[in-house]
Amino acid sequence: MDNQGESEHIVKSYEQELGRLKALLTQMGGMVEAQAANASRALVEHNSTAASYAVQDDLAVDRLEREITDFAIRMLALRQPMAADLRLIVSSMKIASDLERIGDYAANVAKRSLVLNEMAIPFSLSGVANMCRLVQENLKNTVDAVGEGNADRALEVWRSDIMIDDVYSAIFREQITYMMEDPRNITPCTHLLFMAKNLERMGDHATNIAETVYYAITGDIMPSDRPKGESSFTVNRHNGA
Amino acid sequence: MDNQGESEHIVKSYEQELGRLKALLTQMGGMVEAQAANASRALVEHNSTAASYAVQDDLAVDRLEREITDFAIRMLALRQPMAADLRLIVSSMKIASDLERIGDYAANVAKRSLVLNEMAIPFSLSGVANMCRLVQENLKNTVDAVGEGNADRALEVWRSDIMIDDVYSAIFREQITYMMEDPRNITPCTHLLFMAKNLERMGDHATNIAETVYYAITGDIMPSDRPKGESSFTVNRHNGA
């Protein structure tokens, strides 16, 4: 920790620092939302410019995660926060880490889209497009819940993740069928399966963030009676894989 | 935070608390190692008892992650740690979170093994078996690096992850070939692809832990000139998907 930075922060009020932490999270959330939107454009509209944006932005998102973590650790060291503030600061690191993962998955979807664009795809992408839309919607609500510190909205995200799981299962079955029909579909379908899996995981990480927001605000863990999505081949989504 | 627990911890010396945090991490590391070993047995030896152990242990691993996080937050609140101690405590939460993910992936591999055992697999699993072995080796070194606080060993893990990536790429190509050869292979091969991906991610999270250990001990970020593994279809492993 350099002394210049340290004294600079001590001058600032504690509330200003908490505000800055929230602003950094909101900024990161916005960037990751843009990454997800570009990944979706790359996949659904075969837009390679959007794909390259999603990939490029990954570096800036990584930097922002590090900035948030460093800032949070500095606050822990200098401010000795208690109770709700402590929860908020620790939660910020967790949220930044989940956002970074979502950005990673978006970049991966974008990269695979570039590969997919080179292949003949004789079937509709409407299922995956639908999944992209649901994930983006959930991500937007998540980022809003973070910005507003809104526990109800966090609960909403958490509950709606089930739809993403169901769409994923349907896509899984669909892609297997296409592969069975024609071996030439195997390579593109495999990519699409991984892309759908990545989208599902973006949804899972949004759910994680929702849980973290809920905990940061209420100090409680979310009720665990969330209805579960249909699972593909007995593999449960809570198993993260 | 309940007052009873609080006063109990204040009585204990700070060093004892740090020791307890390390012991919890080592315990969690051991459990996740066991999960990975059982997942490997489930897959390679078609052992469904091992599979059910890997799945069952997931709950205990999750509980341990929460215990570590709660304990770390409590230490942050009550002890106002600085410099190396602060890094260690914050890192513990990060390590616990990565271990928990590794456990998730291991449980998922185990679950898919159960599904796979019901199918005819007319090809060798030696590639995946090799990958299981490498991942377990890396995980063991990682857990040791955590226990010993050994930055050199952490660097070793970080460097050897490249082998796992290469084996993954080979398996990917192999499975695509089997699918092309016979449509009846498509379903088992798809499971194996996801399992191999899960194993690769277990390796990635072990690498994350190695980076965290290195940072906790040295206060520095690892040198970024790590050689990269061969990538499958232009998709880079650092993109986490």
Side-chain angles (χ1 to χ4, degrees), chain A residues 27-241:
Chain A
Q27 187 192 348
M28 190 177 177
M31 287 178 74
V32 172
E33 271 189 76
Q35 264 190 301
N38 279 323
S40 170
R41 239 165 264 143
L43 170 56
V44 179
E45 300 165 19
H46 313 289
N47 183 333
S48 36
T49 314
S52 63
Y53 284 146
V55 175
Q56 279 166 25
D57 284 354
D58 216 35
L59 271 180
V61 167
D62 287 357
R63 266 199 305 271
L64 211 44
E65 189 207 356
R66 188 159 295 283
E67 188 177 347
I68 289 169
T69 305
D70 290 349
F71 192 73
I73 292 179
R74 185 175 290 227
M75 280 194 77
L76 289 173
L78 300 180
R79 297 299 191 176
Q80 302 142 20
M82 294 290 289
D85 288 347
L86 178 62
R87 282 203 309 273
L88 181 73
I89 295 168
V90 171
S91 296
S92 298
M93 293 191 278
K94 239 176 137 58
I95 291 169
S97 159
D98 278 308
L99 282 174
E100 190 271 334
R101 302 297 300 159
I102 295 174
D104 266 0
Y105 287 118
N108 190 274
V109 168
K111 279 190 191 176
R112 284 191 193 268
S113 298
L114 290 173
V115 183
L116 210 62
N117 284 350
E118 308 289 311
M119 300 175 189
I121 303 177
F123 46 81
S124 151
L125 291 177
S126 66
V128 188
N130 186 27
M131 199 169 173
C132 283
R133 196 182 49 76
L134 288 173
V135 169
Q136 282 183 82
E137 223 171 81
N138 244 23
L139 182 56
K140 191 200 171 302
N141 281 326
T142 303
V143 173
D144 288 351
V146 171
E148 299 162 6
N150 187 333
D152 289 335
R153 202 189 270 260
L155 261 174
E156 219 174 277
V157 170
W158 187 64
R159 287 203 187 99
S160 64
D161 187 54
I162 185 179
M163 285 199 293
I164 297 175
D165 293 348
D166 289 347
V167 174
Y168 171 73
S169 301
I171 290 172
F172 188 93
R173 283 189 298 262
E174 193 190 5
Q175 298 300 321
I176 295 275
T177 314
Y178 293 143
M179 289 197 262
M180 301 269 192
E181 275 168 16
D182 187 343
R184 282 170 297 181
N185 289 338
I186 288 175
T187 305
C189 285
T190 302
H191 278 293
L192 276 166
L193 274 182
F194 276 116
M195 289 162 109
K197 183 47 109 178
N198 287 347
L199 287 165
E200 191 212 20
R201 296 183 148 272
M202 288 164 75
D204 283 349
H205 282 281
T207 309
N208 287 351
I209 294 175
E211 286 175 4
T212 307
V213 169
Y214 189 90
Y215 166 76
I217 297 165
T218 65
D220 285 327
I221 292 160
M222 272 192 181
S224 58
D225 59 352
R226 190 169 75 104
K228 277 179 191 168
E230 207 187 325
S231 72
S232 64
F233 293 96
T234 78
V235 177
N236 189 304
R237 65 162 290 284
H238 286 289
N239 242 28

Side-chain angles (χ1 to χ4, degrees), chain A residues 1 6 55 58 65-66 69-70 73-74 76-78 80-83 86-87 90 93-94 97 100-101 103-109 111-112 115 119 168 172 175-176 179-181 183-184 186-187 190-191 193-194 197-198 201 205 208 211 215 221 232-236 238-241, chain B residues 1 6 55 58 65-66 69-70 73-74 76-78 80-83 86-87 90 93-94 97 100-101 103-109 111-112 115 119 168 172 175-176 179-181 183-184 186-187 190-191 193-194 197-198 201 205 208 211 215 221 232-236 238-241:
Chain A
M1 238 171 253
E6 218 166 291
V55 175
D58 216 35
E65 189 207 356
R66 188 159 295 283
T69 305
D70 290 349
I73 292 179
R74 185 175 290 227
L76 289 173
L78 300 180
Q80 302 142 20
M82 294 290 289
L86 178 62
R87 282 203 309 273
V90 171
M93 293 191 278
K94 239 176 137 58
S97 159
E100 190 271 334
R101 302 297 300 159
D104 266 0
Y105 287 118
N108 190 274
V109 168
K111 279 190 191 176
R112 284 191 193 268
V115 183
M119 300 175 189
Y168 171 73
F172 188 93
Q175 298 300 321
I176 295 275
M179 289 197 262
M180 301 269 192
E181 275 168 16
R184 282 170 297 181
I186 288 175
T187 305
T190 302
H191 278 293
L193 274 182
F194 276 116
K197 183 47 109 178
N198 287 347
R201 296 183 148 272
H205 282 281
N208 287 351
E211 286 175 4
Y215 166 76
I221 292 160
S232 64
F233 293 96
T234 78
V235 177
N236 189 304
H238 286 289
N239 242 28
Chain B
M1 238 170 249
E6 219 166 291
V55 175
D58 217 33
E65 188 206 357
R66 188 159 294 283
T69 305
D70 289 349
I73 292 179
R74 184 174 290 228
L76 289 174
L78 300 181
Q80 302 141 20
M82 293 290 288
L86 178 61
R87 281 204 309 271
V90 171
M93 292 191 278
K94 240 175 135 59
S97 160
E100 190 269 336
R101 301 297 301 160
D104 266 0
Y105 287 118
N108 190 274
V109 168
K111 278 190 192 177
R112 284 192 191 267
V115 182
M119 298 174 191
Y168 170 72
F172 188 93
Q175 298 300 319
I176 295 275
M179 289 198 261
M180 301 269 193
E181 276 169 14
R184 282 170 297 183
I186 288 175
T187 304
T190 303
H191 279 292
L193 275 182
F194 276 115
K197 182 48 109 177
N198 287 346
R201 296 182 146 271
H205 282 282
N208 288 351
E211 285 174 4
Y215 166 76
I221 292 160
S232 65
F233 293 95
T234 78
V235 177
N236 189 303
H238 285 290
N239 241 28

Side-chain angles (χ1 to χ4, degrees), chain B residues 122-158:
Chain B
F123 46 81
S124 153
L125 291 177
S126 66
V128 188
N130 186 26
M131 199 170 174
C132 282
R133 196 183 47 75
L134 289 174
V135 168
Q136 282 183 82
E137 223 171 82
N138 244 22
L139 181 56
K140 191 199 171 301
N141 282 326
T142 303
V143 172
D144 288 351
V146 171
E148 300 162 6
N150 187 333
D152 289 335
R153 204 190 268 261
L155 260 174
E156 218 174 279
V157 170
W158 187 64

